[in-house]
């Protein structure tokens, strides 16, 4: 069968790659064409566009890049029509994917959505389009099942969270070799995860780095995004003795003692590695003011949303300042706090399912197509 997959972000690239592996196990003759990144490209198939050329965050940024986005949508439709797939698999990235889903449904192409748009956070009225344009939805967060089925009468499949597998199945890191390879000293590591897009890295990293000199007994290490060159990060480093490691975030988290993490999928990844974290977010002022008025969630991190209580501290917008970062970082370095957090992290992992999300999803996709 012919599969067309659209992932528009780094996390989608990871989950898309694992899904592709399982699809190829179930269907060795599969033809796969996709929008994604290096991880998906490493599995096989044909890369159409890289996610680094697609990522625009925030309301203001989308408006500024509207022409590029519209051109990408037009090109995507043309490429799908030329490929004539048996199914399109959408991975999150709703602003783009929902537009393609509407068009695809009109063309009679099967539409499967893996990793639901977060309409429970905002734009809940998208449920109308989902019910109209999506044939099958595979969800990865436990609370989404009640949201879709009980509140909106739309059947979905809870497959568990693919990060559980991605982390458990990875090759373990040899800490001594990793430290030697990247010239890390023997101090405990505090990982800095400033995001993957230039816009958010620029906003987050300077503030994260402002507390380095307050913690001389710790080694700070920046997790570089695979989509960005080291030269981009250099402008923020100055003369600080902070290390930079690109495209090795999981290895870094596996040895980290604590972390400062930009809100997003990385907050959940950090928790699954059982690393105490402070969640950080600072966006474009206009975008934040709009978001604040339409998003009614109590929390912004998936860790807190899934457990429905504040497990990890969230420093948002003006609260994301040097003073608060220092205070919260000191807290997560204390033994008492760390022990309590580990128990909460164990409960979090239990709620995310027993693993096998990619395998379950691939099996369900093929089952629905045959």
């Amino acid at each position: 069968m012919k599969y067309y997959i659209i992932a528009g972000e780094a996390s989608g690239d990871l989950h898309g790659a694992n899904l592709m592996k399982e699809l190829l196990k179930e269907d060795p003759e599969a033809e796969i064409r996709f929008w994604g990144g290096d991880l998906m490209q490493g599995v096989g198939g044909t890369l159409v566009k890289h996610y680094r050329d697609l990522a625009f965050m925030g309301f203001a940024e989308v408006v500024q890049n509207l022409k590029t986005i519209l051109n990408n949508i037009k090109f995507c439709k043309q490429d799908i029509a030329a490929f004539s797939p048996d199914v399109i698999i959408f991975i999150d990235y709703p602003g783009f994917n929902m537009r393609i889903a509407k068009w695809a449904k009109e063309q009679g192409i099967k539409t499967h959505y893996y990793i639901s748009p977060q309409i429970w956070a905002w734009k809940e009225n998208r449920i109308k389009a989902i019910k109209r344009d999506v044939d099958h939805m595979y969800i990865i967060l436990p609370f989404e099942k009640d949201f879709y089925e009980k509140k909106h009468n739309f059947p979905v499949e809870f497959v568990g969270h693919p990060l559980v597998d991605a982390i458990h199945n990875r090759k373990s890191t040899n800490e001594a070799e990793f430290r030697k390879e990247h010239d890390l000293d023997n101090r405990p590591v505090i990982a800095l995860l400033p995001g993957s897009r230039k816009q958010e890295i620029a906003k987050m990293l300077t503030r994260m780095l402002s507390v380095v000199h307050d913690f001389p007994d710790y080694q700070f290490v920046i997790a570089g995004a695979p989509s960005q060159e080291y030269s981009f990060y250099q402008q923020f480093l100055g003369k600080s003795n902070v290390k930079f490691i690109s495209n090795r975030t999981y290895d870094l988290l596996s040895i980290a003692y604590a972390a400062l993490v930009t809100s997003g999928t990385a907050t959940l990844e950090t928790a699954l590695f059982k690393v105490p974290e402070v969640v950080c977010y600072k966006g474009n002022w206009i975008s934040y003011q709009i978001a604040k008025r339409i998003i009614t969630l109590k929390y912004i991190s998936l860790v807190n949303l899934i457990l429905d209580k504040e497990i990890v501290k969230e420093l948002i917008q003006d609260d994301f300042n040097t003073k608060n970062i220092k205070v919260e970082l000191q807290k997560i370095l204390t033994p008492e706090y760390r022990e309590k957090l580990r128990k909460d992290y164990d409960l979090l992992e239990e709620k995310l399912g027993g693993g096998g999300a990619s395998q379950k999803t691939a099996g369900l996709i093929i089952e629905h197509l045959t």
Side-chain angles (χ1 to χ4, degrees):
M1 282 187 284
K2 298 169 75 173
Y3 307 85
Y4 199 100
I5 305 175
I6 306 175
E9 298 171 301
S11 59
D13 181 37
L14 171 65
H15 303 320
N18 289 329
L19 179 62
M20 286 169 64
K21 291 174 186 176
E22 296 301 331
L23 285 171
L24 288 166
K25 286 180 185 177
E26 297 277 344
D27 181 8
E29 302 301 316
E31 293 182 56
I32 303 177
R33 193 169 175 85
F34 61 91
W35 295 44
D38 298 342
L39 296 175
M40 294 173 76
Q41 192 169 22
V43 177
T46 302
L47 174 65
V48 180
K49 269 190 180 289
H50 200 288
Y51 68 79
R52 64 171 163 256
D53 300 322
L54 308 173
F56 303 106
M57 62 177 293
F59 301 96
E61 291 81 2
V62 168
V63 171
Q64 291 165 8
N65 294 280
L66 189 58
K67 184 177 179 181
T68 300
I69 294 169
L70 293 175
N71 285 338
N72 283 336
I73 290 172
K74 181 181 179 181
F75 171 72
C76 184
K77 292 175 182 178
Q78 293 171 340
D79 195 61
I80 291 170
F83 184 56
S84 188
D86 295 292
V87 62
I88 303 176
I89 302 168
F90 303 102
I91 301 180
D92 200 4
Y93 198 50
F96 187 93
N97 277 335
M98 288 306 300
R99 287 174 171 80
I100 301 299
K102 182 178 186 296
W103 170 85
K105 190 70 173 179
E106 293 168 352
Q107 310 307 306
I109 304 171
K110 295 294 183 183
T111 55
H112 291 222
Y113 219 119
Y114 177 42
I115 305 178
S116 161
Q118 295 179 352
I119 65 170
W120 37 265
W122 72 299
K123 288 194 175 182
E124 190 169 344
N125 62 345
R126 272 182 172 160
I127 187 64
K128 297 176 183 177
I130 288 174
K131 294 173 83 168
R132 181 190 66 215
D133 301 329
V134 176
D135 293 318
H136 297 281
M137 176 76 77
Y138 311 104
I139 60 167
I140 64 172
L141 298 172
F143 59 80
E144 291 177 322
K145 192 163 181 69
D146 281 351
F147 173 82
Y148 277 109
E149 295 189 342
K150 292 185 178 180
K151 186 172 184 180
H152 292 292
N153 194 32
F154 181 66
V156 295
E157 298 274 1
F158 174 61
V159 294
H161 205 293
L163 280 180
V164 175
D165 292 324
I167 291 170
H168 284 183
N169 297 339
R170 61 180 289 278
K171 183 180 178 181
S172 61
T173 305
N174 183 303
E175 181 169 354
E177 291 180 2
F178 184 77
R179 284 180 176 271
K180 183 177 180 181
E181 179 184 354
H182 296 284
D183 193 29
L184 302 181
D185 56 38
N186 292 324
R187 290 176 295 170
V189 166
I190 295 178
L192 305 180
L193 279 65
S196 60
R197 306 179 187 93
K198 286 184 178 180
Q199 295 154 326
E200 64 184 348
I201 294 169
K203 285 184 172 65
M204 305 302 298
L205 195 51
T206 301
R207 196 57 54 84
M208 289 180 172
L209 291 170
S210 69
V211 300
V212 169
H213 296 297
D214 294 305
F215 297 88
D217 295 333
Y218 295 86
Q219 171 79 76
F220 284 78
V221 183
I222 298 169
S227 56
Q228 306 298 340
E229 299 294 331
Y230 173 59
S231 57
F232 173 71
Y233 293 87
Q234 282 181 301
Q235 61 186 300
F236 306 105
L237 293 175
K239 296 180 180 180
S240 64
N241 186 29
V242 175
K243 299 295 183 180
F244 174 88
I245 300 177
S246 181
N247 201 19
R248 298 285 295 275
T249 301
Y250 280 12
D251 289 320
L252 178 59
L253 286 174
S254 73
I255 71 161
Y257 192 73
L260 300 178
V261 187
T262 297
S263 178
T265 304
T267 64
L268 191 55
E269 292 172 312
T270 303
L272 289 172
F273 273 100
K274 309 301 168 73
V275 178
E277 65 183 305
V278 179
V279 175
C280 311
Y281 177 77
K282 185 175 180 66
N284 173 283
W285 187 86
I286 296 173
S287 297
Y288 175 72
Q289 292 302 317
I290 296 172
K292 187 169 67 170
R293 286 159 174 77
I294 62 177
I295 297 175
T296 58
L297 296 175
K298 290 187 290 184
Y299 310 108
I300 64 168
S301 71
L302 286 171
V303 177
N304 292 340
L305 283 168
I306 292 166
L307 291 178
D308 195 28
K309 60 180 178 178
E310 187 180 68
I311 301 303
V312 293
K313 183 65 177 180
E314 300 177 351
L315 298 179
I316 306 170
Q317 209 66 7
D318 292 341
D319 288 336
F320 179 50
N321 57 56
T322 300
K323 179 183 176 182
N324 288 342
I325 297 170
K326 181 179 176 181
V327 169
E328 296 304 328
L329 190 51
Q330 285 173 333
K331 283 183 185 177
I332 66 174
L333 296 175
T334 62
E336 298 80 14
Y337 188 97
R338 297 171 67 83
E339 179 59 29
K340 179 182 181 300
L341 194 58
R342 175 169 287 276
K343 292 177 181 176
D344 288 327
Y345 280 170
D346 289 342
L347 178 60
L348 172 75
E349 186 170 340
E350 184 181 319
K351 283 183 173 289
L352 290 175
S358 302
Q359 182 182 25
K360 291 172 189 172
T361 304
L364 287 167
I365 290 171
I366 291 173
E367 179 184 321
H368 290 309
L369 293 174
T370 54

